[in-house]
């Protein structure tokens, strides 16, 4: 009887573990839909939005913006994301930033392949190639949030 009871407990434990494992998203997937987008010069308190959609080839399109209604300052993003790991994304496309007090108020355009990484307990991926077109150690923190 003890062996039967022990076997039942073991089976239940294994099934419970499998069920919770099966509910986890695949390691190289993103949640589709709306995500917050911020550029530190504009605001972390009033994020913009991006839409992320999965494509047939396993990549994701990402498109959206954050815009300050008063100043006209903005960040826009339009391209594709490849999930390298849950904390690392490769982006291919265009990112444009404009902030009136940086780069003479001109648009800074980045066109090509870039990387977004989430470090530590952060709940967002941050653009790693963050140098602004102005130079002078000026950086743009472009962040895409998990939720």
């Amino acid at each position: 009887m003890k062996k039967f009871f022990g076997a039942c407990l073991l089976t239940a434990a294994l099934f419970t573990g499998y069920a919770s494992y099966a509910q986890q998203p695949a390691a190289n997937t993103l949640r589709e839909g709306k995500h917050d987008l911020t550029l530190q010069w504009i605001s972390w308190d009033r994020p913009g939005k991006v839409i992320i959609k999965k494509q047939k080839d396993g990549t994701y399109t990402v498109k959206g913006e954050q815009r300050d209604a008063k100043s006209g300052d903005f960040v826009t993003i339009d391209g594709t994301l490849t999930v390298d790991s849950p904390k690392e994304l490769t982006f291919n496309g265009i990112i444009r930033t404009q902030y009136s007090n940086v780069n003479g108020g001109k648009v800074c355009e980045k066109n090509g392949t870039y990387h977004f990484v989430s470090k530590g307990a952060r709940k967002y991926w941050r653009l790693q190639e963050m140098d602004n077109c102005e130079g002078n150690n000026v950086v743009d923190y472009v962040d895409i949030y998990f939720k």
Side-chain angles (χ1 to χ4, degrees), residues 30-81:
L30 293 177
R31 182 184 59 80
E32 293 184 78
K34 287 185 181 181
H35 293 253
D36 288 346
L37 172 73
T38 59
L39 173 66
Q40 92 277 16
W41 306 114
I42 299 172
S43 172
W44 278 304
D45 298 328
R46 294 182 317 276
K49 298 291 182 198
V50 295
I51 301 293
I52 295 178
K53 293 182 185 177
K54 189 168 187 175
Q55 303 302 297
K56 290 179 182 178
D57 65 0
T59 64
Y60 294 80
T61 60
V62 59
K63 184 172 183 162
E65 69 177 29
Q66 179 188 27
R67 194 170 293 270
D68 185 310
K70 291 181 183 178
S71 68
D73 296 331
F74 65 85
V75 57
T76 64
I77 187 169
D78 188 0
T80 59
L81 293 168

Side-chain angles (χ1 to χ4, degrees), residues 84-109:
D84 300 320
S85 78
K87 293 196 171 244
E88 298 179 32
L89 309 174
T90 299
F91 171 79
N92 194 335
I94 300 174
I95 299 170
R96 292 183 180 98
T97 60
Q98 180 181 0
Y99 183 69
S100 53
N101 294 327
V102 174
N103 196 33
K106 295 181 278 185
V107 173
C108 179
E109 183 174 300

